[in-house]
Amino acid sequence: MGRYVVRRLLQMIPVFIGATLLIFLMVNVMGDPIAGLCGDRECDPATAAQLRHEFGLDQPVWQQYATYMGNLFTGDFGTAFNGQPVTELMGTAFPVTIRLTVVAILFEIVVGIVLGVVTGLRRGRPVDTGVLLLTLVVISVPTFVTGLLLQLLLGVKWGWIDPAVSTEAPFRELIVPGLVLASVSLAYVTRLTRTSIAENRRSDYVRTAVAKGLPRHRVITRHLLRNSLIPVVTFIGTDIGALMGGAIVTERIFNIHGVGYQLYQGILRQNTQTVVGFVTVLVLVFLVANLLVDLLYAVLDPRIRYA
Amino acid sequence: MRGVGHARWAVCAAAAVLATAGCGGGGGSGGGDAGAVLSSSWGDPQNPLEPANTNEVQGGKVLDMIFRGLKKYDPETGEAQNMLAEKIETSDSQNFTVTVKDGWTFSNGEKVTAQSFVDAWNYGASLKNNQRNAYFFAYIDGYDKVHPESGEQSADTLSGLKVTGPLTFTVKLSQKFSTFPDTLGYPAFAPLPRAFFDDHDAWLKKPVGNGPYMVDNYTRGSQMSLRKWEEYPGPDKAQNGGVDLKVYTDNNTAYTDLMAGNLDLVDDIPAAQLKNVKSDLGDRYINTPAGIIQTIAFPFYDNDWSKPGSEKVRKGLSMAIDRKQITDTIFQQTRTPATDWTSPVLGEDGGYKAGLCGKWCEFNPDEAKKLIEEGGGLPGGQVKITYNADTGSHKQWVDAVCNSINNALDNDRACVGNPVGTFADFRNQITDQKMSGPFRAGWQMDYPLIQNFLQPLYYTGASSNDGKWSNEKFDDLVDRANAETDTAKAIDLFQQAEEVLRDEMGAIPLWYQNGSAGYSQRLSDVELNPFSVPVYNEIKVG
């Protein structure tokens, strides 16, 4: 187990370097960001040159990358164009997005798995058909439609929530945005759980457990659910990263100043430091979440062992 | 200010206990409450907030609230009026003597002196401070030493600035510029307190100025709370208790928040909402002219567009555009078809001349077709209008303009839009002179002067002459206008220059842009100034 973890951590290094290099090159291909800094008017050449020098843009790309990576190990993510250190931007953006992701994941786990278990156990019944239809609708309607609709109905028409999330973004304001963010994944989790449960319901170990006379809830939670969760955990694990990086639409609709917003601004202003910094952290989140998922397998199914 | 705040709190608490009356927004209750705070939508400033470093509306909005300069532009007429300036005198349009009014201070108690201005201007001009607006000081003598085009700067201060007394200083310009005093209302010319130089980082975190508001709290990227400065010595005191500027990720969300009653003022109505805004807000929707004009520029560095006869093609294109229809349907009348190259906010006296463009700006498909043929046809048989697709819904109108041109010329392929992904990339292609056809251009005035609509855009080698248009006669008329001390004569010369621009069709004027805003029932006396920024200090709450 210990060796497995170490090996996995070592594997992360090339992935990390490759991913950051790719992002770095992609942002740089877009051209000189200084051109957009002065608005509809050309920056005067001297100031532009000075700014280029300050942000290190006058060096060849490989050298910029080397400097960037060097600084990264000392915890220096560079400076955004508005003079703010990128770490400061991260310090304000990540907590908000993490809260939003937690809300979304909780929805996925609680609502998704419960619905999945209920429908999986009642296959073909009206409940099952109803939930299947509902998930189909949720999957096929784009997030921004759901988001704008909920915002309009709950926020403006009925006044149950504030349409825009405040700067502090406390948990209670993130419930609706979290639900919107989770909606599509939630539908997938429901369907995955349902299929998995329905499949395993007929397996030998469940029949044995029932034959032993175990109470129904124990059969379901300890035997049926535990074995059915492996594909679901895989999905939710990879979804953590996807939710954090993909919150851009939800964050825009509900005025959440999180990672998605900062990335969007960074790309619009072609701010290499912001974009590369945030993507780097997101890559790390992806890698760690994947590792955790792999480790969870062993907990769920002791037959899975790591060498 | 603090004391008042506390007292009001106590009163509110007492009132709440006695009558469970709410005291929202940190103010009291009752009509036109001078202590009540309003909230307004905001965008994250692109650059650090310093007077000489702010070149977009969002940062400018704040500077307008916390700074007062030598001059101030009248929110209604746009006329430059003395603010901190007691008088600005000149006999030759080149040497100016400025006297600063006595009794002004910064909100931290420091006195505003002649030195405050000179230090600020020297800071703004100096190359090592990276100020995006440094070129505003380019007219002042010695600028080339402080801010050389390449290499190290050889001086730290502008030789053209001299402090001659506690409240007087002289400015020597490198050329004659009669309307120079009128440019001094631009925020880049604001005075700066010593605190700015002593602890720059702390100042950036919480800017200190001399305007009717002071910064109470600033969380970068999300909110700035401005509060009324009670001891403000100027005549334009704040009529409300303060303004909370809230950063919105999307102007649609801001509009929704206004609808839901959580926001008081939105100064940028999203294009998608223009259809509903009148029924949603009624009288609380403002749509007033602003000093912004949109044009189509041409790459004159490309032989196709600079050869003899090509002015006929450009004029033909101009006549093929149905401006009225586009402004009515796409912009819901938040744009006005342009008939000259300036803006109606200048007024007749300021140089705006309706109809100066004449028949060249009127929709006339038949003549358009004829002219383009006379001029040798479209270069390569097709024009591509380049624009940036990331902001400002440019796609819609470029497509509409092309559609109009195609219909006029009976040719489906005469004009196509050519989108560029980001604004930065768009600017790159312009700077690198890579434009192969016409491209969108826009100009938001820095100060309400006809000079500002012509010289930076069309003078040979000027900072925003993106199309590299060059015409000796035009340059000569502009030079003469700048040297002219009589304003009326100067404006006449500028208009003659504009006629040269028209005859060559150096750029196609499309439309003048309006500022649009909407506000909640709590507010009254809301207006937009010619820069399309709300006049915050006039707004009454309650």
Side-chain angles (χ1 to χ4, degrees):
Chain A
M1 179 82 170
R3 276 182 57 195
Y4 175 77
V5 174
V6 171
R7 213 170 67 215
R8 282 293 300 269
L9 286 174
L10 285 178
Q11 279 172 2
M12 281 186 188
I13 296 172
V15 176
F16 178 74
I17 293 177
T20 45
L21 181 62
L22 265 182
I23 292 295
F24 207 85
L25 291 176
M26 271 150 73
V27 179
N28 269 284
V29 164
M30 288 160 74
D32 182 6
I34 300 297
L37 264 191
C38 292
D40 265 319
R41 147 192 346 245
E42 197 176 324
C43 288
D44 76 274
T47 310
Q50 180 101 350
L51 284 170
R52 224 169 266 135
H53 181 71
E54 196 180 289
F55 292 111
L57 296 164
D58 51 349
Q59 291 165 339
V61 176
W62 65 268
Q63 209 171 328
Q64 286 183 41
Y65 180 69
T67 321
Y68 185 81
M69 288 309 271
N71 287 341
L72 214 57
F73 283 108
T74 58
D76 177 10
F77 279 85
T79 314
F81 286 151
N82 67 355
Q84 230 176 335
V86 174
T87 41
E88 208 177 295
L89 288 176
M90 288 178 177
T92 54
F94 269 100
V96 176
T97 298
I98 288 172
R99 275 202 293 277
L100 182 66
T101 314
V102 167
V103 174
I105 295 280
L106 278 180
F107 267 115
E108 279 180 30
I109 292 176
V110 177
V111 182
I113 293 181
V114 167
L115 279 181
V117 171
V118 170
T119 51
L121 292 175
R122 290 182 176 70
R123 238 167 58 144
R125 305 267 189 82
V127 191
D128 182 31
T129 326
V131 172
L132 271 185
L133 263 176
L134 196 76
T135 50
L136 189 70
V137 170
V138 170
I139 290 172
S140 46
V141 176
T143 319
F144 71 88
V145 176
T146 338
L148 285 172
L149 208 66
L150 281 182
Q151 184 186 42
L152 188 72
L153 289 178
L154 302 178
V156 183
K157 290 268 187 282
W158 302 332
W160 293 357
I161 57 158
D162 286 345
V165 172
S166 63
T167 315
E168 299 79 31
F171 271 112
R172 60 185 171 76
E173 290 184 14
L174 292 174
I175 292 173
V176 176
L179 182 62
V180 171
L181 180 62
S183 58
V184 173
S185 304
L186 182 68
Y188 281 121
V189 168
T190 306
R191 288 180 156 226
L192 264 178
T193 319
R194 173 186 172 272
T195 318
S196 200
I197 291 265
E199 220 172 65
N200 290 333
R201 232 182 109 193
R202 287 196 207 88
S203 57
D204 295 341
Y205 64 84
V206 173
R207 204 174 331 132
T208 313
V210 175
K212 273 201 298 184
L214 286 181
R216 189 176 151 81
H217 73 264
R218 202 168 158 78
V219 176
I220 294 173
T221 49
R222 300 292 297 180
H223 295 264
L224 181 55
L225 189 58
R226 184 160 163 181
N227 280 290
S228 308
L229 275 183
I230 288 191
V232 181
V233 165
T234 315
F235 180 80
I236 294 181
T238 47
D239 210 35
I240 293 176
L243 286 178
M244 289 189 87
I248 195 161
V249 175
T250 321
E251 292 194 350
R252 238 179 110 89
I253 294 175
F254 291 99
N255 192 39
I256 300 167
H257 299 261
V259 172
Y261 170 67
Q262 293 296 349
L263 264 177
Y264 177 74
Q265 292 270 321
I267 292 168
L268 263 196
R269 292 175 185 174
Q270 225 175 313
N271 199 332
T272 324
Q273 312 280 337
T274 323
V275 177
V276 179
F278 274 83
V279 172
T280 305
V281 175
L282 284 178
V283 167
L284 282 178
V285 171
F286 253 106
L287 291 174
V288 170
N290 265 324
L291 178 63
L292 285 180
V293 167
D294 285 354
L295 294 179
L296 258 183
Y297 285 163
V299 178
L300 288 171
D301 186 349
R303 283 173 301 179
I304 301 175
R305 280 181 213 289
Y306 303 109
Chain B
M1 188 251 161
R2 250 174 195 236
V4 173
H6 280 245
R8 189 160 277 128
W9 253 113
V11 172
C12 273
V17 170
L18 290 175
T20 43
C23 284
S29 45
D33 187 345
V37 174
L38 66 122
S39 55
S40 176
S41 68
W42 196 34
D44 198 14
Q46 193 174 5
N47 302 318
L49 259 183
E50 300 166 281
N53 211 0
T54 299
N55 55 5
E56 36 77 56
V57 180
Q58 303 304 339
K61 212 183 263 183
V62 175
L63 296 181
D64 198 42
M65 295 164 86
I66 62 171
F67 276 108
R68 284 294 177 262
L70 290 168
K71 293 257 185 181
K72 180 177 185 286
Y73 302 115
D74 186 285
E76 268 177 48
T77 62
E79 192 194 341
Q81 293 160 337
N82 280 348
M83 196 69 196
L84 262 72
E86 182 79 51
K87 52 186 190 250
I88 302 174
E89 292 164 317
T90 182
S91 52
D92 58 357
S93 295
Q94 191 164 4
N95 290 286
F96 295 85
T97 309
V98 181
T99 312
V100 183
K101 274 183 196 157
D102 200 6
W104 281 75
T105 57
F106 292 98
S107 60
N108 63 359
E110 260 180 65
K111 269 182 84 73
V112 183
T113 60
Q115 195 70 44
S116 320
F117 283 96
V118 172
D119 286 348
W121 296 7
N122 279 327
Y123 180 88
S126 177
L127 177 58
K128 64 170 186 276
N129 296 325
N130 284 340
Q131 303 287 295
R132 268 69 152 182
N133 284 342
Y135 59 88
F136 272 94
F137 306 99
Y139 293 105
I140 300 172
D141 210 26
Y143 179 77
D144 49 343
K145 298 255 173 19
V146 176
H147 198 115
E149 280 190 28
S150 59
E152 297 276 308
Q153 61 188 88
S154 53
D156 280 337
T157 52
L158 292 158
S159 58
L161 293 178
K162 285 211 171 59
V163 178
T164 49
L167 292 172
T168 51
F169 66 102
T170 57
V171 186
K172 182 172 186 284
L173 302 184
S174 49
Q175 63 182 80
K176 282 180 191 280
F177 185 11
S178 58
T179 43
F180 174 72
D182 288 348
T183 68
L184 298 176
Y186 192 78
F189 294 104
L192 285 169
R194 279 314 309 169
F196 177 88
F197 304 97
D198 294 341
D199 191 347
H200 191 226
D201 286 340
W203 192 92
L204 283 181
K205 287 204 172 75
K206 198 175 168 182
V208 174
N210 65 332
Y213 292 95
M214 47 196 248
V215 178
D216 186 47
N217 199 331
Y218 180 20
T219 318
R220 272 205 194 167
S222 51
Q223 179 162 338
M224 180 182 265
S225 302
L226 294 130
R227 291 296 172 265
K228 180 182 182 178
W229 177 30
E230 299 289 346
E231 283 97 58
Y232 174 65
D236 53 345
K237 281 187 198 306
Q239 302 296 311
N240 48 55
V243 180
D244 284 339
L245 296 174
K246 293 182 179 174
V247 173
Y248 277 87
T249 49
D250 188 358
N251 58 359
N252 277 295
T253 313
Y255 188 78
T256 314
D257 234 7
L258 174 70
M259 291 287 102
N262 296 327
L263 186 71
D264 291 319
L265 178 60
V266 171
D267 62 351
D268 175 23
I269 305 282
Q273 302 288 358
L274 286 175
K275 276 196 289 281
N276 323 323
V277 69
K278 273 186 202 131
S279 58
D280 282 348
L281 293 171
D283 292 346
R284 291 178 284 118
Y285 165 59
I286 319 174
N287 178 18
T288 49
I292 306 172
I293 183 169
Q294 278 185 324
T295 59
I296 291 180
F298 296 93
F300 287 98
Y301 41 80
D302 185 336
N303 191 32
D304 279 341
W305 293 102
S306 52
K307 65 187 177 204
S310 69
E311 79 279 355
K312 284 192 174 159
V313 179
R314 295 193 291 272
K315 280 178 178 168
L317 283 173
S318 171
M319 292 175 89
I321 300 168
D322 191 348
R323 295 172 176 74
K324 171 134 180 39
Q325 198 192 19
I326 295 171
T327 50
D328 281 355
T329 52
I330 292 185
F331 293 120
Q332 306 285 333
Q333 291 164 8
T334 54
R335 309 277 195 279
T336 313
T339 57
D340 81 339
W341 281 260
T342 66
S343 163
V345 298
L346 294 180
E348 294 277 318
D349 297 337
Y352 167 66
K353 192 166 177 187
L356 184 131
C357 182
K359 67 171 184 174
W360 312 117
C361 289
E362 277 161 29
F363 180 54
N364 188 342
D366 297 330
E367 193 155 346
K369 209 170 164 182
K370 214 171 77 195
L371 265 173
I372 291 177
E373 272 164 26
E374 273 175 35
L378 298 174
Q382 189 182 46
V383 283
K384 278 188 181 166
I385 302 182
T386 308
Y387 61 97
N388 59 308
D390 55 348
T391 50
S393 50
H394 296 305
K395 180 178 163 43
Q396 281 97 321
W397 71 256
V398 171
D399 286 349
V401 163
C402 272
N403 198 21
S404 181
I405 293 174
N406 290 345
N407 284 342
L409 302 184
D410 288 327
N411 175 359
D412 278 351
R413 301 188 21 81
C415 174
V416 288
N418 176 30
V420 174
T422 61
F423 180 67
D425 197 14
F426 178 66
R427 287 302 315 172
N428 260 322
Q429 296 192 17
I430 291 176
T431 320
D432 297 345
Q433 305 199 0
K434 279 195 187 140
M435 290 291 167
S436 56
F439 53 96
R440 95 165 174 88
W443 182 252
Q444 165 142 31
M445 67 178 185
D446 301 315
Y447 26 79
L449 289 179
I450 183 173
Q451 178 266 350
N452 191 243
F453 280 93
L454 299 177
Q455 190 166 5
L457 288 155
Y458 309 111
Y459 194 85
T460 304
S463 60
S464 290
N465 189 346
D466 290 334
K468 305 291 164 208
W469 188 69
S470 175
N471 185 298
E472 259 178 57
K473 205 170 153 201
F474 177 90
D475 292 356
D476 181 50
L477 282 164
V478 168
D479 286 340
R480 276 167 56 200
N482 276 331
E484 182 59 65
T485 41
D486 180 356
T487 322
K489 277 186 195 153
I491 283 170
D492 188 54
L493 283 164
F494 275 121
Q495 282 175 340
Q496 285 178 37
E498 204 180 337
E499 281 163 14
V500 175
L501 177 65
R502 173 196 63 195
D503 295 337
E504 288 287 315
M505 198 49 83
I508 298 179
L510 292 173
W511 33 73
Y512 313 116
Q513 188 170 325
N514 286 5
S516 61
Y519 53 95
S520 72
Q521 271 151 344
R522 291 176 71 213
L523 305 189
S524 55
D525 290 353
V526 184
E527 272 180 72
L528 294 177
N529 68 14
F531 304 91
S532 79
V533 170
V535 189
Y536 285 104
N537 56 295
E538 300 284 339
I539 297 174
K540 293 199 177 77
V541 187

